[in-house]
Amino acid sequence: MSDSNPKVPNDDPNSNLEKDPSDWVSGDEPMTGAQASYLKTLSEEAHEPEAYAENLTKAEASRRIDALKRKLDL
């Protein structure tokens, strides 16, 4: 029996657990309500209101969220 748990994040830098947003099957769909809310909050906290736009795709929103989280050191 293996000790690995597929629900536990893998710290292996070569792991493919996190896909690039551009590789998402649903990446071209409109961002979710949760993404919109989080992105709006982060853009306000980072004083970058231009980072938020209502017409973003899931992939675009994810990339902007990641960038703002890095900027805010989250």
Side-chain angles (χ1 to χ4, degrees):
M1 188 168 189
S2 173
D3 287 337
S4 68
N5 182 339
K7 293 184 180 181
V8 176
N10 183 347
D11 290 332
D12 178 2
N14 297 318
S15 171
N16 67 350
L17 288 178
E18 285 192 35
K19 283 187 176 181
D20 184 288
S22 60
D23 294 335
W24 293 353
V25 173
S26 63
D28 290 335
E29 294 177 6
M31 69 177 155
T32 66
Q35 281 181 307
S37 176
Y38 193 38
L39 180 56
K40 182 111 174 111
T41 299
L42 290 174
S43 68
E44 290 169 356
E45 288 179 9
H47 304 288
E48 290 190 19
E50 69 282 356
Y52 176 81
E54 291 183 10
N55 61 344
L56 297 175
T57 65
K58 287 181 180 179
E60 291 169 330
S62 179
R63 283 191 288 273
R64 290 185 186 194
I65 288 168
D66 288 344
L68 290 170
K69 284 172 57 178
R70 281 192 300 274
K71 179 180 179 179
L72 293 168
D73 229 4
L74 299 177

